[in-house]
Amino acid sequence: METNVCFKLYDHVNIGVFVVNSSFDIVFWNKHLQEISGIKKTDVENKNLLSVLPNLDNYIFKERLKGILRGGPPEFFSSQLNKYIVPIKLPNGEFRTQHTSVMGIKSESEGLCAVFSIIDISDEKKQIDNYRDMKNRALFEVEERKKIEDKLREIVEQLKEKSEELNVTNHNLVLLNASKDKFFSIMAHDIKNPLSAIISYSDWLFHELKELTQEEISDSLSSIKKSAKSLFELLENLLNWSRLQTGNMPYNPELFSLNDIFDLLNETYIISAGNKEIELKFNCIHKLAFFGDKNMLLTALRNLISNAIKFTNRKGKITISAQKSANILTISVEDTGIGMSLEQIDKVFNIESSFTTLGTEKEEGTGLGLILVKELVEKNKGQLIVSSKLGKGTVFTLHFSI
Amino acid sequence: MLLNNEQLDLFTELINIGVGKAARLLNELISSPIKLSIPKIIVEKPRDLIKKLTPENNLTYYAVKLQFEGSFNGVAEIVFPSESGNKLVSILTGEEIYSDDLDGLRAGTLNEVANMLLNGVMGTISNIIKEDFTYSIPRYYEDTFANLFYDPNPDDKIVLFGETHFEVENTDIEGDIIVLLELFYFESLKSELNRLLRE
């Protein structure tokens, strides 16, 4: 009884306290510990600690307790390394989490005793666990949201790619549609007109031959010839253009003499240029070789020269030149013709514009020639540049890397 | 020189016996082999030691302090650089070293481990000078080294400083054991060491 009196103060603290003497007998068990553990003080006081709490019956605990009871420093038993000193069950079956400090204290009746102070941190631990769960859930949600956002971003990217593909397809369809329109326009007008002229003149000749003068017959035949020639040029271009559009014009590069090409073109156009008293001049001082598709280059130059003849007034001049610098081969077709405005230049290269102009002597064009030239030059990895002044003339320059 | 080489060697050996006992208990507690040694003890005046030791950076250190009173007063403490402290707690509790949960486990775990080691050291000193002390409950702190070591009246004290090497599960962990004694009673420690040397 005397022992209990000197430790009575511990009944007024709200932490669990019990006191053990040097024989390891429990000499005091406070009210708070009785409440939280359900172990009555009358059941444990004056009983041996290790029989009341057999979980403490181990070498380390006993050594540490002996140290205190010899006057050594206090001991701290953490929940992390010891779980608990007094097993107290929670409703969920788990044990309450405790930190326990043990320190020596001298009692008059018992000598040096060890006072165990048990701080229950179950509620704090539960709160920390709850916060940890909340944090983990939040992190999980953030991760999930991030995954969804990534997926959405991926879908948006895919849609953007599809949209771009659609734009390209759409643009190609517009070009295809324009090509089709161009084709029908040529069929409708450009082929029909010269054919009508041929039919009309030949019909007139057939029915009125006996009545016609020699001069009238000659004029009619000249018109028939002009229309037939125009029709032939048109059909040739149309065929080439169609082959280009359908990918049926293979690029067959070879090494050939540019001087030979110029000779051939001179032979072809010397008469038609002469008919309009146009001076046709080919400048190619040095022997030049060209590596590319010979037929494509010929078609391109034929179109440019025939255009130049068409749009150059009588007594004008057309100069076709070729020269080589460090790594560029330049071919130019320059005329002193009627020239083009910037707006007209834009239109002649636009398949959708169906732009065509009559020549200085009412020669008809197809509106297809320059588009074809540009495509043929590009097929040969070249570049077509136009410079023109209204009333002064036009220069078409072809640059090829060598 | 506050202690000559002979006195210092004996003192180092006695302290190592003390922490060795503590290490054996720790071995049993954590069931993973732990080797512990204090290869060298430095005895200095606090100001001189701070000049030598205080790191220039503001890194956080974990410390457990055990204050004692008796015929003379002092404080024994263990200081861990945060990296070492976290490694030790991670090994002892099995928690990931970079886990947020380690923060919650650190105070209790380091408090208990440091407490056992300091008890070994103080038990040795107490035996040598044949004095009993009253101890306060060990307390855990986290702060910069300079703040942890701050003493408003350092001139009348002496510092016993030992670099402590732990080896747990092939991991090296460093900490410092520091005992701050009043200078007057350091003389009794010295004379007891001389007596032991003569025996």
Side-chain angles (χ1 to χ4, degrees):
Chain A
M1 284 304 286
E2 195 187 326
T3 306
N4 281 349
V5 171
C6 68
F7 296 119
K8 271 275 185 205
L9 268 178
Y10 292 129
D11 271 335
H12 302 285
V13 293
N14 61 351
I15 55 171
V17 177
F18 68 92
V19 184
V20 171
N21 67 14
S22 56
S23 312
F24 284 20
D25 288 335
I26 298 171
V27 293
F28 180 77
W29 190 268
N30 84 338
K31 280 182 183 173
H32 185 80
L33 191 54
Q34 179 174 274
E35 277 168 29
I36 60 169
S37 69
I39 302 171
K40 288 181 181 170
K41 56 163 63 202
T42 48
D43 291 344
V44 292
E45 280 180 356
N46 300 318
K47 289 196 175 151
N48 186 269
L49 172 70
L50 303 180
S51 65
V52 174
L53 302 173
N55 56 301
L56 302 179
D57 193 359
N58 61 74
Y59 171 75
I60 317 160
F61 176 80
K62 284 188 277 190
E63 280 303 302
R64 291 173 78 180
L65 187 55
K66 276 181 199 167
I68 296 166
L69 292 169
R70 277 196 299 262
E75 292 281 353
F76 177 77
F77 296 86
S78 67
S79 61
Q80 288 80 28
L81 302 182
N82 302 276
K83 288 191 180 169
Y84 52 79
I85 294 293
V86 180
I88 305 170
K89 274 197 177 176
L90 287 163
N92 65 6
E94 288 179 6
F95 288 98
R96 284 194 168 272
T97 312
Q98 304 161 3
H99 282 332
T100 304
S101 306
V102 188
M103 63 189 301
I105 191 162
K106 272 182 186 160
S107 147
E108 279 183 17
S109 56
E110 296 288 342
L112 194 57
C113 294
V115 178
F116 286 71
S117 310
I118 299 166
I119 300 168
D120 192 314
I121 55 162
S122 305
D123 293 340
E124 288 85 345
K125 188 175 177 290
K126 197 178 169 192
Q127 276 180 358
I128 290 169
D129 287 347
N130 286 343
Y131 285 134
R132 189 192 302 158
D133 286 348
M134 278 165 66
K135 185 196 80 181
N136 288 340
R137 271 204 304 275
L139 284 175
F140 177 76
E141 279 170 17
V142 167
E143 196 61 33
E144 284 298 299
R145 188 170 292 178
K146 196 173 166 291
K147 273 185 199 165
I148 292 168
E149 279 174 6
D150 286 349
K151 192 74 195 166
L152 274 174
R153 211 169 288 133
E154 200 179 299
I155 291 169
V156 168
E157 279 302 312
Q158 281 172 353
L159 280 174
K160 218 183 271 175
E161 275 173 28
K162 289 279 176 210
S163 168
E164 275 164 20
E165 278 172 24
L166 273 175
N167 278 342
V168 170
T169 310
N170 197 31
H171 179 69
N172 287 341
L173 279 173
V174 168
L175 288 180
L176 204 64
N177 198 38
S179 301
K180 182 206 74 185
D181 289 348
K182 190 83 178 176
F183 186 81
F184 280 117
S185 148
I186 290 164
M187 294 295 282
H189 300 98
D190 304 329
I191 294 180
K192 188 187 163 198
N193 289 345
L195 265 178
S196 300
I198 291 168
I199 292 167
S200 300
Y201 277 112
S202 53
D203 194 44
W204 189 47
L205 280 172
F206 182 73
H207 288 104
E208 308 288 338
L209 190 61
K210 287 175 187 167
E211 312 293 325
L212 295 173
T213 64
Q214 196 60 38
E215 197 183 352
E216 283 172 329
I217 294 169
S218 177
D219 284 350
S220 297
L221 285 173
S222 168
S223 294
I224 289 171
K225 186 189 163 196
K226 218 164 96 181
S227 294
K229 197 181 162 213
S230 159
L231 191 59
F232 179 77
E233 276 178 14
L234 172 64
L235 283 174
E236 200 179 25
N237 275 348
L238 198 58
L239 189 64
N240 282 331
W241 179 67
S242 157
R243 283 162 68 198
L244 268 178
Q245 298 305 304
T246 52
N248 286 329
M249 186 183 267
Y251 173 66
N252 289 322
E254 59 182 309
L255 192 67
F256 55 90
S257 160
L258 204 55
N259 306 72
D260 291 348
I261 294 287
F262 276 16
D263 289 344
L264 190 66
L265 289 167
N266 190 28
E267 277 172 30
T268 311
Y269 289 103
I270 191 79
I271 293 171
S272 51
N275 286 343
K276 282 180 82 176
E277 298 172 77
I278 292 168
E279 185 191 345
L280 186 65
K281 198 176 171 191
F282 285 86
N283 276 340
C284 191
I285 303 161
H286 304 288
K287 285 206 169 296
L288 290 177
F290 183 87
F291 183 77
D293 190 302
K294 191 175 176 179
N295 284 327
M296 287 188 190
L297 185 69
L298 258 174
T299 308
L301 289 175
R302 266 204 292 263
N303 267 288
L304 290 177
I305 295 168
S306 100
N307 259 358
I309 294 170
K310 213 178 283 177
F311 296 106
T312 301
N313 288 312
R314 283 184 173 271
K315 299 189 188 301
K317 190 177 171 185
I318 296 169
T319 310
I320 298 103
S321 314
Q323 59 188 34
K324 196 171 97 173
S325 65
N327 52 359
I328 299 279
L329 178 73
T330 306
I331 302 170
S332 61
V333 178
E334 181 178 1
D335 66 52
T336 56
I338 56 173
M340 289 182 284
S341 65
L342 281 176
E343 197 187 358
Q344 284 174 318
I345 293 174
D346 274 346
K347 281 182 179 171
V348 293
F349 289 108
N350 187 354
I351 187 87
E352 294 159 67
S353 71
S354 63
F355 175 77
T356 180
T357 323
L358 288 177
T360 54
E361 297 189 0
K362 311 283 182 234
E363 300 100 322
E364 286 177 352
T366 61
L368 195 60
L370 287 174
I371 294 167
L372 185 64
V373 170
K374 187 169 178 284
E375 285 190 29
L376 290 171
V377 170
E378 283 168 0
K379 272 257 179 194
N380 279 272
K381 297 170 187 66
Q383 194 186 7
L384 175 66
I385 294 167
V386 191
S387 64
S388 186
K389 265 187 185 172
L390 272 175
K392 295 280 179 187
T394 305
V395 186
F396 286 93
T397 312
L398 285 62
H399 292 295
F400 298 97
S401 298
I402 48 174
Chain B
M1 194 179 281
L2 294 161
L3 285 182
N4 64 30
N5 285 344
E6 273 189 317
Q7 291 163 335
L8 205 56
D9 285 349
L10 177 66
F11 186 57
T12 306
E13 195 183 331
L14 291 169
I15 291 289
N16 271 293
I17 292 168
V19 295
K21 279 183 193 164
R24 278 194 294 281
L25 281 180
L26 261 177
N27 270 344
E28 300 264 345
L29 183 68
I30 62 176
S31 65
S32 79
I34 177 165
K35 283 184 194 166
L36 208 147
S37 65
I38 303 176
K40 191 181 172 190
I41 287 180
I42 300 167
V43 182
E44 286 272 18
K45 293 198 170 169
R47 275 188 211 284
D48 299 336
L49 192 72
I50 285 172
K51 271 183 208 160
K52 275 186 197 169
L53 294 178
T54 305
E56 285 175 13
N57 56 46
N58 281 324
L59 292 178
T60 301
Y61 285 74
Y62 309 141
V64 176
K65 294 188 184 190
L66 180 67
Q67 281 190 314
F68 54 90
E69 287 175 13
S71 53
F72 64 93
N73 305 335
V75 58
E77 57 191 282
I78 291 191
V79 182
F80 293 101
S82 55
E83 198 182 340
S84 278
N86 287 335
K87 263 194 230 170
L88 184 61
V89 177
S90 163
I91 291 168
L92 298 181
T93 59
E95 191 65 47
E96 287 286 324
I97 192 158
Y98 296 113
S99 152
D100 291 345
D101 300 335
L102 201 72
D103 293 344
L105 302 174
R106 191 164 52 230
T109 312
L110 285 182
N111 203 348
E112 182 162 3
V113 172
N115 178 210
M116 289 172 80
L117 296 175
L118 289 174
N119 288 1
V121 172
M122 287 313 296
T124 306
I125 293 175
S126 172
N127 281 343
I128 295 170
I129 57 176
K130 296 186 173 58
E131 286 283 353
D132 285 333
F133 300 108
T134 308
Y135 300 92
S136 63
I137 299 288
R139 296 184 77 105
Y140 174 80
Y141 300 86
E142 292 189 6
D143 210 329
T144 60
F145 191 90
N147 287 348
L148 287 170
F149 204 68
Y150 175 74
D151 189 320
N153 303 304
D155 294 333
D156 60 346
K157 295 193 178 69
I158 202 81
V159 182
L160 312 174
F161 175 86
E163 276 180 13
T164 315
H165 295 286
F166 295 74
E167 198 187 313
V168 196
E169 291 179 358
N170 297 323
T171 306
D172 288 323
I173 292 160
E174 287 177 4
D176 297 324
I177 289 182
I178 295 164
V179 181
L180 212 66
L181 290 178
E182 284 174 3
L183 188 59
F184 175 76
Y185 290 97
F186 175 67
E187 290 305 321
S188 67
L189 175 73
K190 210 155 117 178
S191 62
E192 283 303 320
L193 286 172
N194 285 335
R195 187 184 58 77
L196 287 170
L197 281 169
R198 281 195 304 274
E199 280 178 3

